[in-house]
Amino acid sequence: MDFTLKIWRQKNSGEKGKFVNYKVGNVSSDSSFLEMLDVLNEELILKNEEPVAFDHDCREGICGCCSLYINGRPHGPDELITVCQLHMRKFKDGDSIVIEPWRARPFPVIKDLIVDRTAFDKILMEGGFVSVNTGNAPDAHAVPVPKQNADLAFDAAACIGCGACVAACKNASAMLFVSAKVSQFALLPQGRVEAKERVRAMVAKMDELGFGSCSNTGACEAECPKGISLTNIARINREFIKAGSA
Amino acid sequence: MTNFFTSSIGKKILMAGLGLFLIVFLLVHLGINLLLIIFESRDPFNIAAHFMGTNVLIKIFELVLFGGFLLHITYGLIVQMQNWIARPVSYAKTHPSQTSFFSKYMIHTAVIIGIFLVIHLFDFYLQAKIFGGVPEVVIDGKTYHDLGLLVFEKFKIGWVVIFYIFTFIFLGFHLLHGFQSAFQTFGLDHRTLTPVIKASGVIYSVVVVAGFILIPLVIYFGN
Ligand code: HEM
Ligand code: SF4
Ligand code: FES
């Protein structure tokens, strides 16, 4: 397959970037989107040009590194997948494809298509943990957990912190991410102990870093590769009300 | 509590609460307006409007109402600015994802409602209370402002009718998203209740907008 790629190139966070067009040919329809970019980069290196910088690590949909905004959609035109799981057969031969980095004030571009997502780590440092004493691991049945809550907490914990929710949201809101992190603890007895401090601290950090607020558009849920549900946002709102009125 | 209403979630909770309050008020307002086309005489409307304008309890309510509008508008503008600032560089290519359609245009529908509110205030509230010049009518020996006549005169003008209908359609768009969104903002998420709320939001928006639009149509095309 042949493609015309319109790729955002930017030397570093300080310099202005621009779109550059590239042609890439002989791409297997079974290759992943990242493998297609690898092909392009090899050609660029052979031509002594600067390869396109993009984030990636596991290449199997679990690390959350790959983060490309492809033809107007985070992770491109498929449901419940990351860019590394996107196949070129999802495109038509000869397509032109626009590739941009995540756009959000708290996610500045480091180089080309790579953005700095340290903002997520900063939010996690405010409460993405439970404070426990070290010692022997307790028996699994020592603290009873309702099955339904265990399942919901597990679903929330599936978030890989990719930031597609922020990229998709018209407000660059991090509410889906933060709500997933708050929910995975709020639903479990171990997490309830610090629930109020956690939600207050994480929301305060999210605001301070400059993410937008939630307009309940649902764009995040539609684009999340892990199917994190909007019900988590209802839950964080509830948790925030509980924490604020106490 | 101090930081509650300055946080992103707190601001939305306040907006949602005030929004729901305005939704209830709109129903009362519609009820009174409909008196104009339900009855042959304008008296019931004028008496109701007089009651709304003079009753002490309602006077207090009026302050709350103005405050409610002002706060909803102020917070709406603040939230919107912050949301714009959160994305300084926009995307070159966008794709309409499966989202609540009108949620993306809340500020646009809001601006139209805002323009209408300013005109509306000048036309009725300020004219009755401050500028004067409202015709009067005597009902059972008591003098009332004939606000009903004012409405009839306005709704005989073609472009007024068109602007009015246009505004209310946009108010409907604001509420098609806003009604259910407010409950999500409050954290309400329930297997059976949430679908009921979503359906009620659609029914409310359609019925209330249709009700308001009916009035100028009946007057304009009536005799
Ligand atoms: C000039 C007038 C108005 C302005 C400037 C305004 C502004 C806004 C804005 C910008 C939003 C979206 C907030 C967001 O993106 O998160 C919003 C939401 C909303 N508005 Fe308005 N609005 C106005 C009038 C009204 C009226 C008259 C009503 C009701 C009768 C109303 C009810 C609502 C509701 C229920 C929401 C949803 C709140 C939520 O998402 O939780 N608004 N308004
Ligand atoms: S909620 Fe979904 S889209 Fe957002 S960071 Fe987590 S996995 Fe990515
Ligand atoms: S590279 Fe790890 S999720 Fe795509």
Side-chain angles (χ1 to χ4, degrees):
Chain A
M1 303 174 88
D2 297 335
F3 300 101
T4 306
L5 307 174
K6 188 176 167 189
I7 302 180
W8 182 260
R9 303 299 312 258
Q10 184 171 343
K11 264 212 176 69
N12 53 51
S13 55
E15 264 171 68
K16 277 186 84 163
K18 63 171 192 302
F19 282 101
V20 179
N21 288 322
Y22 298 95
K23 295 251 182 231
V24 56
N26 268 332
V27 177
S28 156
S29 61
D30 290 334
S31 65
S32 78
F33 200 87
L34 298 188
E35 286 164 339
M36 182 274 295
L37 288 178
D38 291 338
V39 171
L40 171 72
N41 275 345
E42 275 165 22
E43 285 172 15
L44 290 178
I45 291 168
L46 286 179
K47 283 195 274 182
N48 244 341
E49 282 180 41
E50 181 78 15
V52 177
F54 61 90
D55 242 337
H56 62 107
D57 188 15
C58 72
R59 297 215 175 191
E60 56 180 10
I62 54 168
C63 74
C65 275
C66 56
S67 46
L68 304 176
Y69 199 83
I70 302 163
N71 278 349
R73 295 182 67 183
H75 297 303
D78 202 355
E79 308 307 319
L80 298 173
I81 48 121
T82 53
V83 187
C84 56
Q85 296 170 299
L86 175 66
H87 288 100
M88 293 317 292
R89 56 176 172 268
K90 288 283 161 188
F91 297 88
K92 285 200 292 290
D93 193 22
D95 267 0
S96 53
I97 305 172
V98 182
I99 312 171
E100 301 174 71
W102 285 177
R103 296 290 191 196
R105 186 157 68 108
F107 287 168
V109 173
I110 298 173
K111 185 174 178 162
D112 297 339
L113 301 168
I114 301 180
V115 296
D116 181 358
R117 282 170 286 180
T118 320
F120 270 8
D121 301 329
K122 289 184 184 153
I123 296 173
L124 286 181
M125 282 159 67
E126 291 296 316
F129 50 81
V130 285
S131 311
V132 288
N133 294 322
T134 50
N136 287 337
D139 282 336
H141 63 278
V143 184
V145 178
K147 169 82 169 114
Q148 197 199 359
N149 284 9
D151 288 349
L152 288 172
F154 198 82
D155 288 347
C159 164
I160 54 176
C162 64
C165 43
V166 175
C169 175
K170 75 174 177 64
N171 307 335
S173 168
M175 278 284 273
L176 196 63
F177 166 76
V178 180
S179 72
K181 299 303 168 193
V182 163
S183 289
Q184 78 186 42
F185 294 112
L187 284 157
L188 300 176
Q190 294 88 342
R192 288 266 24 123
V193 182
E194 296 161 298
K196 287 184 177 168
E197 294 78 10
R198 176 180 301 110
V199 68
R200 273 195 218 117
M202 289 178 87
V203 169
K205 196 58 165 184
M206 163 181 96
D207 291 351
E208 179 200 315
L209 291 166
F211 291 100
S213 62
C214 180
S215 290
N216 301 324
T217 71
C220 52
E221 183 190 59
E223 299 296 352
C224 171
K226 296 299 160 188
I228 302 295
S229 155
L230 285 184
T231 58
N232 290 298
I233 296 187
R235 187 175 297 104
I236 196 181
N237 288 340
R238 254 184 344 259
E239 290 291 325
F240 192 76
I241 293 170
K242 275 195 249 168
S245 58
Chain B
M1 205 62 198
T2 43
N3 294 329
F4 191 84
F5 288 117
T6 52
S7 69
S8 58
I9 298 181
K11 280 193 287 249
K12 280 301 308 270
I13 287 170
L14 189 74
M15 284 193 70
L18 295 166
L20 288 181
F21 166 69
L22 294 178
I23 281 174
V24 175
F25 159 74
L26 215 57
L27 220 48
V28 178
H29 199 323
L30 175 64
I32 294 177
N33 286 13
L34 281 176
L35 296 176
L36 265 179
I37 55 169
I38 292 173
F39 295 99
E40 280 288 313
S41 152
R42 292 193 300 272
D43 293 354
F45 174 82
N46 281 332
I47 293 170
H50 177 78
F51 176 76
M52 295 303 275
T54 50
N55 183 284
V56 183
L57 268 181
I58 306 255
K59 283 255 133 190
I60 297 168
F61 175 80
E62 198 174 81
L63 279 180
V64 178
L65 181 65
F66 275 116
F69 262 112
L70 253 135
L71 271 180
H72 181 83
I73 293 171
T74 314
Y75 271 74
L77 295 178
I78 294 173
V79 165
Q80 185 55 250
M81 307 277 203
Q82 288 177 330
N83 291 345
W84 276 325
I85 292 170
R87 167 149 312 131
V89 183
S90 43
Y91 292 108
K93 180 152 184 177
T94 52
H95 168 91
S97 51
Q98 319 112 299
T99 52
S100 165
F101 181 80
F102 292 113
S103 67
K104 293 188 214 158
Y105 304 104
M106 291 304 272
I107 189 65
H108 311 88
T109 51
V111 166
I112 294 168
I113 303 168
I115 295 170
F116 172 83
L117 281 176
V118 173
I119 299 175
H120 189 62
L121 265 179
F122 271 98
D123 271 0
F124 291 95
Y125 188 78
L126 293 181
Q127 199 158 40
K129 298 269 155 105
I130 298 169
F131 301 150
V134 179
E136 287 180 344
V137 59
V138 177
I139 306 168
D140 292 337
K142 257 185 89 177
T143 316
Y144 291 89
H145 279 316
D146 197 352
L147 285 170
L149 183 65
L150 215 61
V151 176
F152 269 81
E153 283 172 350
K154 294 243 178 262
F155 285 161
K156 281 292 180 192
I157 308 166
W159 69 264
V160 172
V161 172
I162 289 169
F163 174 67
Y164 189 90
I165 291 174
F166 179 79
T167 307
F168 273 89
I169 289 174
F170 278 86
L171 176 67
F173 293 160
H174 197 76
L175 297 181
L176 271 177
H177 173 70
F179 191 106
Q180 53 87 29
S181 175
F183 290 92
Q184 166 84 356
T185 301
F186 283 138
L188 200 125
D189 162 43
H190 191 268
R191 208 159 20 89
T192 45
L193 223 61
T194 300
V196 172
I197 289 170
K198 289 196 171 166
S200 313
V202 176
I203 295 170
Y204 175 95
S205 308
V206 172
V207 170
V208 168
V209 169
F212 272 106
I213 287 180
L214 193 66
I215 297 162
L217 287 181
V218 167
I219 294 176
Y220 188 77
F221 293 107
N223 31 34

